[in-house]
């Protein structure tokens, strides 16, 4: 009932949830009921939420099909939340998350912490992890490659790359303009020694939010 209520009300205020919780008791009793329930030590994302999300996705996505997994971080009031979601029809299903005990960006260890359970849970799909510039590290890319997971990680414009028989150059040296698409395979990304070779996709929308890019 609580999962359904959160989807319907789209907020997590205890007072609001208690006012609309369909139980035949007084509102104050519903509020105390919710507080006791949410403070239970037995509550676990892995034990309670994973079976629900697994069942939902199995009804929407066939086994063996490609499934987009987004990793992102957001600041919600005083909470710094690192979250992994499954993308289906332009909507995100939250799968796993953790609260970072610090401000600012996440590191590789924290990223692996939220991705590992999701990769195990959704192993019957062809996963593609997508992330913005916070998740641009070649270490994360190498780790995902070792896990046999595809990925698309947005890079910073000063990230260096090198094609075969060429010298390193920053990404912002690539001549691009609105509407261009470019795909280069088997490149060195960054000048760190011992890292694998990756593919590089360059894309600039012709229009952004309905307006012509310049």
């Amino acid at each position: 009932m609580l999962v359904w209520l959160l989807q319907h009300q789209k907020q997590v205020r205890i007072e609001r949830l208690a006012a609309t919780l369909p139980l035949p008791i007084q509102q104050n009793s519903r509020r105390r009921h919710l507080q006791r329930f949410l403070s239970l030590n037995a509550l676990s994302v892995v034990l309670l939420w994973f079976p629900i999300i697994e069942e939902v996705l199995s009804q929407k996505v066939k086994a063996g099909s490609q499934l987009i997994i987004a990793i992102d971080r957001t600041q919600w009031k005083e909470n710094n939340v690192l979250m992994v979601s499954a993308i289906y029809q332009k909507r995100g299903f939250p799968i796993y998350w953790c609260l970072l005990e610090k401000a600012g960006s996440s590191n590789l260890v924290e990223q692996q912490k939220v991705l590992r359970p999701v990769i195990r849970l959704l192993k019957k799909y062809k996963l593609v992890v997508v992330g913005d510039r916070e998740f641009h590290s070649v270490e994360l890319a190498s780790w995902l490659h070792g896990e046999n997971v595809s990925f698309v990680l947005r890079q910073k414009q000063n990230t260096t790359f090198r094609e075969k028989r060429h010298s390193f150059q920053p990404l912002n040296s690539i001549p691009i303009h609105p509407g261009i698409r470019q795909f280069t395979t088997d490149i060195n990304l960054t000048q760190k020694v011992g890292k694998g070779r990756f593919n590089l996709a360059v894309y600039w929308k012709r229009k952004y939010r309905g307006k012509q890019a310049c």
Side-chain angles (χ1 to χ4, degrees):
M1 284 192 295
L2 183 57
V3 171
W4 173 85
L5 201 60
L6 288 169
Q7 293 292 322
H8 186 265
Q9 296 297 322
K10 302 185 186 304
Q11 56 180 284
V12 291
R13 292 174 56 197
I14 294 294
E15 294 296 335
R16 178 61 180 171
L17 295 174
T20 54
L21 186 66
L23 289 179
I25 54 179
Q26 296 292 323
Q27 181 172 338
N28 284 338
S29 297
R30 292 197 296 267
R31 177 177 53 80
R32 291 193 296 270
H33 186 81
L34 282 172
Q35 289 173 330
R36 287 195 298 267
F37 176 74
L38 294 173
S39 63
L40 289 174
N41 292 328
L43 286 180
S44 164
V45 173
V46 174
L47 295 179
L48 299 180
W49 181 241
F50 273 22
I52 295 175
I53 197 68
E54 187 176 24
E55 178 63 23
V56 170
L57 289 176
S58 67
Q59 296 180 20
K60 305 294 184 181
V61 186
K62 292 182 179 180
S65 300
Q66 178 177 284
L67 182 62
I68 305 297
I69 300 298
I71 181 170
D72 197 12
R73 182 184 57 82
T74 186
Q75 191 73 31
W76 182 59
K77 296 184 178 180
E78 70 278 4
N79 300 301
N80 195 11
V81 185
L82 183 62
M83 176 173 288
V84 178
S85 304
I87 307 301
Y88 177 75
Q89 293 186 348
K90 298 183 179 180
R91 294 185 178 273
F93 291 85
I95 303 178
Y96 195 62
W97 56 89
C98 71
L99 298 179
L100 303 181
E101 298 180 355
K102 63 177 184 180
S105 300
S106 58
N107 57 39
L108 178 62
V109 173
E110 293 160 342
Q111 294 160 12
Q112 291 172 327
K113 178 181 177 181
V114 293
L115 283 170
R116 278 197 184 97
V118 176
I119 293 173
R120 288 196 297 266
L121 176 68
L122 305 177
K123 59 185 178 182
K124 65 180 180 180
Y125 301 106
K126 296 178 181 178
L127 301 182
V128 180
V129 173
V130 299
D132 62 18
R133 287 176 295 180
E134 178 175 332
F135 309 96
H136 72 284
S137 76
V138 68
E139 288 84 4
L140 176 60
S142 297
W143 178 76
L144 288 171
H145 179 72
E147 295 291 319
N148 198 30
V149 174
S150 300
F151 53 88
V152 180
L153 305 177
R154 188 176 182 181
Q155 298 297 305
K156 297 181 178 180
Q157 63 178 357
N158 61 354
T159 300
T160 57
F161 75 101
R162 183 181 66 182
E163 299 180 65
K164 289 182 178 180
R165 296 182 294 276
H166 289 77
S167 58
F168 278 99
Q169 57 183 318
L171 290 176
N172 58 12
S173 66
I174 300 175
I176 59 174
H177 53 78
I180 193 172
R181 299 169 185 259
Q182 181 177 320
F183 189 78
T184 307
T185 61
D186 200 29
I187 66 163
N188 285 115
L189 191 65
T190 77
Q191 301 182 44
K192 294 182 179 179
V193 178
K195 300 302 178 183
R197 303 179 72 88
F198 304 98
N199 300 328
L200 175 65
V202 179
Y203 173 49
W204 189 345
K205 282 187 175 181
R206 187 175 298 278
K207 289 186 177 182
Y208 182 70
R209 293 182 178 177
K211 296 182 179 180
Q212 178 68 46
C214 51

